Amino acid sequence: MSGEPNVKGYAPLPQSISNTDTEDDDEEHQHHREHADSLSKDDDQSRISDTTTICQNGRFYPLDETKNLANRARNGRNSFGYSTDNIPIMILDGQSHDDLWKRHDMSPLRRFCLVASVLLCILTILIFLYVLPCDNSSICPPAPEPKTSVSWDKTLEGVEINGRITVIPGSPYNLIFLLRGQQFGDIDSRESPGQQQITPEGGGVLSMQGTSGIPLWWVVLKRLPTDIDCEILDTDGSGKPDCLVSGEGGLLVSIEPIAGTIHWNSEIHAQPALPLLLSDLDSDGINDLLTIELTNSSQSLVFLSGKSGKVLARQSIPGCQSVELSDIDSAFVLSYTCHNGNSNQSTKTILLKNLIESINFSQARRKLALTVLTQPATSKPPASYPNQTSTDSWDLTPHHRLYVRNVAGDRCPSDVCQTSVNLTLVHARNESRIWDHASASSFVTRPAILDTFGQAYTAGFALKFWNWTADTAAEDKEKSVTPGPTTVRQQSLTERVSIIFVNNTEVHVMNASQSELIQLCRGQDCQPSLPRQAHSIRIADLNGDGVMELISYRTTYNMADDISKATLTSKVQIVKLDAVF
């Protein structure tokens, strides 16, 4: 083994050491451990004694290093040591304890400073966000795109919308339209899902939700409706007015506007115009009606019950071949137009009291009728402004008057049709023109007037114009199914909606829309009929948000290679006026 290299850090155990030597070493180590345990017990006893001397009267004082010096020397320590046992707990007096842990209130000055600092931070953020200009396009958000002006539109197949637009107040508002069946083209293929079918000879009444265009109810009629009024008569006494619908073939019917229920259908052959409203003659709590009954030989005045539509009395009108009722004034004077056989007409009046006395009423009913005629009939009070002063003039404000005239309107479209619109400024008894429009081969609707809420020098209205050219009419006449009186000809029309806004003498005209339409005619019977669409626009607030909407409808034929394959389409469109101006 002497020849082996000596490895550093390793010394082999000498063979001379025996097991006896090992046992002696173990006894020596055991003796040292017992001596260390004895010293540890003495040290613990010394610490307990020191602790006892330090704690006096529940208070603790700093250690006296001179007392523990001998212990440290005995334990072989040159520095302070630590012990995990017998650590005393600090105890404080009651008053000192309260002062240490008591939560002190913040002074008013410090509170004010805290609140002011928070508000100052918020103000700084707001100034940077909304006040200081932003000149970096990558940081500043792009300007929002303008919203579309069209709120909604609804398309109907196989029907023509005609007559006035009726707005029914509610939550939400509803719209009511009069319908006419398709007259020309491919009548058999006009079926549309979710839509009632209307025959060419008949018509109907349609209600839509004003905010979405969802159809609410349909009423199909065998005769063509031409006029409607949903404001003058409460048929069922519910406190809400019902709709009176009149039309061709003696049509006169009362319809509940919310559910579309028919209250009654008159049995007489009434004139197409709406009846006049009377007081309650039969004491049933419902106002009654006055209309003209058309017979083969003559015409007569007819009193109808507003509750049931039944005839209360009749009175003939001598010397007139035809009669048109005008109105009843507050003095119960009836005005009407009398047409005789010489194509002459005259306006006549009659006192309702004298008319009642001449009717074959019973004594009790005559007395009751004369009693109620001492009070004016219930009717809608006319608005101060705007106010229609005649058939073709309107007072928009105390200082603005509008004239809208159609020449030969019943014969449109033709070369003799002309349109004239004049807006004047009224000074005492004098008028000065501030805007006008005139056009040949044209037709214009009744104005849809914007309510300016009593502003004396501000007004607005909308008009719809139809225009055509003589060259186009000549070309369209060649496109017919068969020559002769039954010829169906095609007419191209341009429909334009204009909105006019006036402030004192400044007039602003804006074209809201323009569309190309196709009209089919057989003789003077045309579809769409321009005279029947004279009330095809209206301005109203449909959702009560203070923003006015322009309600409009239009009808056109969708042409194919053959006129007999043409289909009819009508569209209702709502335009928000705040997006137009």
Side-chain angles (χ1 to χ4, degrees):
M1 296 180 62
S2 61
E4 295 179 1
N6 186 15
V7 181
K8 185 178 180 180
Y10 172 78
L13 184 66
Q15 296 296 326
S16 60
I17 298 177
S18 62
N19 293 336
T20 305
D21 296 333
T22 304
E23 292 176 358
D24 294 339
D25 291 339
D26 292 339
E27 292 178 358
E28 184 178 356
H29 287 302
Q30 179 67 25
H31 176 73
H32 284 297
R33 283 196 298 270
E34 291 177 356
H35 180 69
D37 292 340
S38 176
L39 293 177
S40 177
K41 291 180 180 180
D42 294 340
D43 186 42
D44 292 341
Q45 186 66 28
S46 175
R47 283 199 300 271
I48 294 173
S49 176
D50 293 341
T51 303
T52 305
T53 59
I54 294 172
C55 180
Q56 297 178 3
N57 299 326
R59 298 179 181 271
F60 289 86
Y61 300 93
L63 295 176
D64 188 356
E65 300 300 331
T66 60
K67 295 181 180 182
N68 296 328
L69 184 60
N71 293 335
R72 289 197 302 273
R74 185 177 56 214
N75 294 334
R77 299 178 182 177
N78 296 325
S79 60
F80 293 106
Y82 299 91
S83 175
T84 58
D85 297 330
N86 301 322
I87 298 177
I89 301 175
M90 182 178 291
I91 300 176
L92 301 176
D93 291 338
Q95 183 64 31
S96 300
H97 179 270
D98 294 339
D99 294 341
L100 180 63
W101 299 104
K102 183 178 180 181
R103 187 171 183 176
H104 299 282
D105 294 336
M106 185 181 296
S107 65
L109 180 59
R110 298 183 66 182
R111 288 183 181 179
F112 172 79
C113 294
L114 176 62
V115 174
S117 62
V118 173
L119 294 179
L120 182 60
C121 293
I122 296 176
L123 180 62
T124 304
I125 295 174
L126 294 178
I127 291 176
F128 272 93
L129 289 178
Y130 301 105
V131 177
L132 295 181
C134 182
D135 56 356
N136 192 342
S137 59
S138 62
I139 299 176
C140 293
E145 297 181 358
K147 297 181 180 180
T148 176
S149 60
V150 178
S151 179
W152 59 264
D153 54 38
K154 179 69 176 180
T155 301
L156 303 174
E157 301 290 342
V159 293
E160 173 194 1
I161 303 177
N162 65 89
R164 68 181 74 247
I165 301 172
T166 303
V167 178
I168 304 298
S171 181
Y173 282 31
N174 297 335
L175 301 175
I176 296 181
F177 302 93
L178 301 181
L179 306 177
R180 181 190 184 195
Q182 181 174 337
Q183 303 295 308
F184 311 106
D186 192 3
I187 299 176
D188 297 332
S189 63
R190 66 185 188 280
E191 296 183 0
S192 180
Q195 179 177 318
Q196 296 289 338
Q197 301 304 315
I198 298 177
T199 62
E201 299 79 14
V205 184
L206 169 64
S207 175
M208 290 183 179
Q209 191 176 90
T211 56
S212 62
I214 299 176
L216 300 177
W217 50 262
W218 298 71
V219 173
V220 179
L221 303 172
K222 296 181 179 180
R223 293 169 286 182
L224 176 63
T226 57
D227 206 354
I228 183 173
D229 193 317
C230 298
E231 297 180 357
I232 64 172
L233 181 65
D234 180 12
T235 301
D236 55 1
S238 62
K240 297 181 180 180
D242 298 295
C243 295
L244 283 177
V245 179
S246 63
E248 296 181 355
L251 175 66
L252 182 59
V253 60
S254 174
I255 301 177
E256 201 278 326
I258 303 301
T261 305
I262 297 179
H263 290 305
W264 51 260
N265 197 337
S266 177
E267 298 178 355
I268 69 170
H269 193 282
Q271 67 174 2
L274 287 169
L276 300 179
L277 187 67
L278 295 173
S279 299
D280 183 13
L281 301 179
D282 54 358
S283 188
D284 60 358
I286 305 298
N287 290 339
D288 298 318
L289 304 171
L290 177 64
T291 187
I292 299 294
E293 182 182 17
L294 305 178
T295 60
N296 295 331
S297 57
S298 63
Q299 298 183 6
S300 59
L301 288 171
V302 178
F303 293 86
L304 297 178
S305 170
K307 185 175 183 178
S308 62
K310 295 182 179 180
V311 177
L312 299 179
R314 287 184 175 89
Q315 177 65 37
S316 61
I317 304 177
C320 298
Q321 290 187 352
S322 63
V323 177
E324 295 179 4
L325 298 180
S326 299
D327 59 4
I328 300 175
D329 61 16
S330 58
F332 298 101
V333 176
L334 171 64
S335 301
Y336 62 95
T337 302
C338 178
H339 300 269
N340 54 34
N342 299 326
S343 299
N344 296 326
Q345 64 181 30
S346 60
T347 301
K348 297 184 178 182
T349 60
I350 183 173
L351 189 62
L352 283 182
K353 180 179 179 181
N354 298 334
L355 183 62
I356 294 295
E357 291 177 347
S358 62
I359 294 178
N360 188 20
F361 271 147
S362 64
Q363 186 68 22
R365 176 167 290 185
R366 181 182 293 108
K367 182 178 180 180
L368 176 63
L370 293 175
T371 301
V372 297
L373 287 178
T374 59
Q375 298 294 330
T378 303
S379 60
K380 181 181 64 174
S384 299
Y385 295 99
N387 183 30
Q388 184 173 359
T389 56
S390 65
T391 57
D392 57 3
S393 65
W394 290 260
D395 285 342
L396 304 180
T397 69
H399 309 285
H400 297 91
R401 183 167 296 164
L402 175 65
Y403 298 91
V404 179
R405 297 185 178 95
N406 282 305
V407 178
D410 295 338
R411 300 170 58 185
C412 294
S414 65
D415 298 339
V416 297
C417 296
Q418 296 181 4
T419 294
S420 174
V421 181
N422 294 311
L423 180 62
T424 63
L425 188 66
V426 180
H427 298 281
R429 298 182 180 180
N430 299 323
E431 296 183 34
S432 58
R433 184 180 304 174
I434 58 177
W435 179 79
D436 62 353
H437 172 83
S439 177
S441 300
S442 176
F443 186 85
V444 63
T445 61
R446 303 287 90 183
I449 301 176
L450 176 66
D451 190 356
T452 55
F453 304 100
Q455 299 184 30
Y457 291 92
T458 303
F461 58 94
L463 294 170
K464 181 187 291 187
F465 297 90
W466 289 275
N467 295 91
W468 58 92
T469 61
D471 295 338
T472 303
E475 294 176 0
D476 292 337
K477 287 182 180 179
E478 298 178 358
K479 301 177 182 179
S480 58
V481 178
T482 56
T486 59
T487 298
V488 177
R489 68 180 189 276
Q490 174 182 332
Q491 176 74 51
S492 298
L493 306 174
T494 299
E495 179 185 282
R496 175 171 52 89
V497 177
S498 297
I499 301 177
I500 298 91
F501 188 79
V502 55
N503 185 10
N504 201 355
T505 59
E506 297 181 3
V507 180
H508 302 274
V509 181
M510 178 179 295
N511 291 329
S513 65
Q514 181 168 316
S515 305
E516 300 297 327
L517 308 180
I518 299 297
Q519 181 188 53
L520 297 183
C521 299
R522 181 187 290 116
Q524 294 298 321
D525 183 16
C526 296
Q527 191 176 42
S529 171
L530 299 186
R532 288 194 179 102
Q533 297 201 7
H535 298 275
S536 59
I537 56 174
R538 180 168 178 174
I539 296 176
D541 182 7
L542 296 180
N543 50 14
D545 59 354
V547 177
M548 293 294 177
E549 286 91 3
L550 176 63
I551 312 165
S552 176
Y553 65 79
R554 65 175 180 267
T555 301
T556 182
Y557 272 94
N558 302 317
M559 296 305 300
D561 296 336
D562 190 354
I563 291 181
S564 61
K565 300 298 182 181
T567 58
L568 185 66
T569 301
S570 295
K571 176 178 286 189
V572 180
Q573 189 175 72
I574 308 299
V575 177
K576 298 178 181 178
L577 291 184
D578 64 337
V580 175
F581 286 108

